Amino acid sequence: GRRTDEVNVLLEENFKAIDGIFNDLVAKTGLPLQQVSHAYHKARGRIHSAFNHWNTYGHYLKVNRKQELRRLGNIEVADAAQITPAIRAECYKAFRAAFLDSWQEILETFEQVEVRSVGPQTVSQRTQEFSK
């Protein structure tokens, strides 16, 4: 049902307190607000991330091509000029199997490092980089 005005006031007051705590953590850690919030929700098992591990793995595969193709153990694939969607899917499966408990964290960390190392970009620059 509809929340009462009293409940809305209480929520707003406490949301301000939560904002203060998060902003304090940002100042003390030097981490971006999104990363602090993500860490909190992940630690509490309440993460609802729109993070797309498949897309990040595609970039990870591009950067670590030889290593990831070697994981398949197929020399013919390792020498392939083009990575097909089927090969990418096999590589992704092998990557997840190799890092059962940490593959998501590896990809999320990879993405964070990549974003920070590139620096500020326009939407057009990001689109061009994504298309590479």
Side-chain angles (χ1 to χ4, degrees), residues 38-57:
H38 181 78
Y40 170 78
H41 289 291
K42 188 174 180 181
R44 299 296 183 265
R46 298 180 186 122
I47 192 158
H48 299 287
S49 175
F51 190 90
N52 190 319
H53 294 95
W54 169 255
N55 287 346
T56 300
Y57 181 76

Side-chain angles (χ1 to χ4, degrees), residues 21-23 25-26 29-41:
I21 292 168
F22 273 84
N23 289 330
L25 283 169
V26 167
T29 64
L31 298 172
L33 179 60
Q34 182 180 6
Q35 194 172 353
V36 170
S37 175
H38 181 78
Y40 170 78
H41 289 291

Side-chain angles (χ1 to χ4, degrees), residues 54-66:
W54 169 255
N55 287 346
T56 300
Y57 181 76
H59 188 77
Y60 182 89
L61 176 59
K62 187 185 294 185
V63 172
N64 300 289
R65 178 188 171 101
K66 286 183 181 181

